Amino acid sequence: MSRRFDAIIIGAGQAGPPLAGRLTSAGMSVALIERHLFGGTCVNTGCMPTKTLVASAYAAHLTRRSADYGVTLSGPLRIDMARVKARADAVSANARVGVERWLRDMKGCVVINGHASFSAPDAVQVADETLSAPRIFINVGGRAIVPDLPGIAQVRFLTNGTVLALDRVPEHLVVVGGSYAGLEFAQIYRRFGAAVTVVEMAARLIAREDEGVSQAIREILEGEGITIRTGAECITLAPHANGVAVGVDCATGDPEILGSDVLLAVGRRPNTDDLGLDKAGVVTNARGYIQVDDGLATSVPGIWALGDCNGRGAFTHTAYNDFEIVAANLLDGEQRKVSERIPGYALYIDPPLGRVGMTEAQAHASGRPLLSGHRPMSRVGRAIEKGETQGFMKIIVDAETRKILGAAILGTGGDEAIHGILDTMNAGVPYTALQRAVPIHPTVCELIPTMLGEMRPVR
Ligand SMILES: Cc1cc2nc3c(=O)[nH]c(=O)nc-3n(C[C@H](O)[C@H](O)[C@H](O)COP(=O)(O)OP(=O)(O)OC[C@H]3O[C@@H](n4cnc5c(N)ncnc54)[C@H](O)[C@@H]3O)c2cc1C
């Protein structure tokens, strides 16, 4: 059987569904193919369930600290993991059902459940059906990397997907990978009462960030009783009576960690290996990411790649922005470019890290003359009032153009407060525009102009 459409979308992640909405509104017939769960990673195994767990973990943390606020509770804290899990499941399920219903009710959109793979540059195969279209949009996302560690085949391990199925608190969770996802899970389960060890191969946590950020995050996590093992070379896994023995060859510390559970959080890989890209001639890089130009077109005319699978972003908001770029260029006669996007993201440990633009190290490497500002959260009124003074905010500015190059806000509300800086950068105005704004008191944002007024040249 074969059917022809105006457009085919592979994957119902963060870019595919809204693109289906725009294309059908423009009068096109669209086939949208999803092989697993509608909403993709973010809705089912990424942002939504994890941030729901972060909220439960925060509630536990605040409960433990309640006496600091003059609130007393009688009886010990108890974590009801079944309810914690049910809450996260419900948040995901609501979103998943909503996306699927929206697509199925969409006039002009045919939703097909199944695995799609290319059979030609303008055709994909789903089971025994061939679908063809002059425009094909790939939104297949990615999955957790399972590293080829010695012993991996002999042990049970968790990934970001399977850890969400736990309705118990692990006795001792060993998290392999000290980057964004790994650190979020580490703090979540520590706050639920697990012993937690983070094993990271690099010399420091989230090595892409500036050293000061890595160090402050390490101190925050260690302050909650999480054991951090950096510089862990030669990681091995072996079955053990109590779970898993994780062998680490660190410069210091025990060479073996005995965990009840091990979570692998060492990065993601694109879902492009089973897509038949060779049959279409679509070029990928050595890591399997689909190569795209500034408008997200692939090497084959009529095929675009959006979201995590193109390697140009690794977030829900970047996948959605890919949709906006493609839709604007195809349907609105615009010429938007992915290179115009100013990178922003957050790490949702508590307190969160909000980030935008360059790190200080990147700004330094660019050779520009720089100004930088720094303010500890212990000198932010709102943080003091909330009793959450860990972290700091910092900003890097081009001393000549006075444009903001990058910033980090590690502290209470940092994920929200960073947007004042992100918006200023997007507006393309000098930092003085933000410095002269009158922010609301008491907020974390109100100290950003103060920080900008106290900047110093970077040597
Ligand atoms: C633990 C974790 C936490 C995260 N937290 C955040 C966060 O807080 N904020 C944030 O911005 N990002 C976060 N992310 C990243 C975010 O989830 C992804 O960047 C985002 O989901 C990418 O969207 P996408 O549309 O590219 O792909 P996906 O959401 O992965 O969707 C791809 C879809 O394509 C389908 N598919 C794949 N291959 C085929 C095929 N051949 N045929 C048919 N269908 C196919 C898949 O089943 C899937 O539904 C997190 C990720 C993880 C793992």
Side-chain angles (χ1 to χ4, degrees):
M1 198 169 109
S2 68
R3 279 191 275 180
R4 188 146 180 94
F5 296 87
D6 293 322
I8 292 171
I9 298 170
I10 308 174
Q14 294 304 306
L19 185 61
R22 280 296 317 267
L23 295 175
T24 51
S25 295
M28 290 190 205
S29 60
V30 174
L32 187 140
I33 308 151
E34 170 54 54
R35 71 177 177 189
H36 191 36
L37 299 175
F38 286 78
T41 307
C42 178
V43 165
N44 298 290
T45 56
C47 337
M48 295 194 82
T50 59
K51 267 80 255 183
T52 309
L53 293 179
V54 165
S56 290
Y58 181 68
H61 179 66
L62 216 51
T63 306
R64 282 191 191 96
R65 291 190 58 207
S66 63
D68 296 351
Y69 297 90
V71 178
T72 44
L73 293 166
S74 57
L77 174 85
R78 202 175 72 79
I79 306 290
D80 183 344
M81 266 316 276
R83 284 184 68 176
V84 167
K85 178 179 178 301
R87 185 170 170 273
D89 288 349
V91 168
S92 284
N94 280 342
R96 179 170 62 245
V97 168
V99 176
E100 182 166 0
R101 188 176 301 138
W102 178 48
L103 289 167
R104 290 200 188 276
D105 290 348
M106 195 179 281
K107 207 165 156 275
C109 182
V110 173
V111 175
I112 299 165
N113 293 93
H115 171 84
S117 74
F118 281 88
S119 52
D122 69 341
V124 300
Q125 196 71 27
V126 184
D128 54 2
E129 187 173 25
T130 303
L131 312 171
S132 64
R135 302 166 198 85
I136 300 183
F137 303 92
I138 307 171
N139 176 219
V140 293
R143 60 186 187 275
I145 290 176
V146 176
D148 191 18
L149 299 174
I152 188 130
Q154 279 78 55
V155 299
R156 272 186 308 108
F157 60 84
L158 301 163
T159 64
N160 70 288
T162 55
V163 71
L164 297 170
L166 286 186
D167 57 2
R168 62 180 170 88
V169 178
E171 202 177 301
H172 182 179
L173 180 67
V174 181
V175 180
V176 178
S179 203
Y180 305 89
L183 296 186
E184 289 180 6
F185 282 119
Q187 191 185 47
I188 287 168
Y189 283 99
R190 178 67 194 138
R191 287 182 169 191
F192 289 159
V196 174
T197 302
V198 175
V199 173
E200 166 58 48
M201 283 174 120
R204 58 186 172 90
L205 300 178
I206 45 171
R208 261 185 259 165
E209 303 297 339
D210 282 326
E211 231 171 298
V213 171
S214 290
Q215 185 54 31
I217 287 173
R218 180 173 188 143
E219 284 164 18
I220 288 166
L221 297 177
E222 286 183 334
E224 293 190 20
I226 296 171
T227 304
I228 311 270
R229 302 285 302 272
T230 45
E233 288 164 13
C234 314
I235 298 168
T236 59
L237 304 172
H240 183 269
N242 296 338
V244 185
V246 182
V248 286
D249 188 5
C250 297
T252 55
D254 284 344
E256 192 175 63
I257 304 157
L258 299 181
S260 58
D261 299 83
V262 62
L263 168 67
L264 301 179
V266 298
R268 313 267 306 158
R269 56 178 292 192
N271 289 326
T272 54
D273 45 339
D274 55 0
L275 204 49
L277 289 175
D278 51 325
K279 302 219 176 75
V282 172
V283 174
T284 62
N285 69 14
R287 294 167 60 216
Y289 289 97
I290 298 172
Q291 289 195 359
V292 288
D293 66 13
D294 229 2
L296 304 169
T298 69
S299 53
V300 177
I303 304 180
W304 290 259
L306 301 84
D308 284 12
C309 68
N310 66 25
R312 301 293 290 264
F315 301 99
T316 284
H317 46 280
T318 50
Y320 189 83
N321 182 235
D322 284 1
F323 141 67
E324 293 177 313
I325 291 167
V326 168
N329 295 353
L330 272 179
L331 302 172
D332 304 332
E334 293 195 36
Q335 295 202 323
R336 292 180 62 173
K337 297 177 181 157
V338 70
S339 58
E340 288 164 356
R341 181 159 72 208
I342 295 170
Y345 53 89
L347 164 66
Y348 289 93
I349 59 159
D350 170 50
L353 169 70
R355 275 275 298 116
V356 60
M358 296 183 187
T359 59
E360 185 169 347
Q362 287 168 336
H364 227 346
S366 74
R368 297 171 165 93
L370 303 174
L371 294 172
S372 87
H374 185 281
R375 190 169 193 90
M377 284 291 157
S378 55
R379 291 180 60 215
V380 173
R382 180 77 168 139
I384 295 166
E385 289 145 11
K386 290 173 81 175
E388 297 182 343
T389 53
Q390 288 171 312
F392 58 83
M393 53 173 89
K394 67 182 258 187
I395 195 159
I396 308 292
V397 168
D398 185 316
E400 273 166 11
T401 64
R402 301 197 296 173
K403 295 274 178 68
I404 299 170
L405 298 174
I409 304 183
L410 172 64
T412 184
D415 51 332
E416 301 285 350
I418 197 73
H419 284 86
I421 298 173
L422 179 58
D423 293 343
T424 306
M425 291 173 74
N426 272 305
V429 294
Y431 78 85
T432 43
L434 184 55
Q435 194 185 359
R436 286 172 199 165
V438 183
I440 295 165
H441 172 78
T443 57
V444 171
C445 292
E446 75 178 320
L447 272 306
I448 292 173
T450 311
M451 174 174 66
L452 290 168
E454 295 171 348
M455 288 194 296
R456 301 266 175 274
V458 177
R459 307 264 165 238

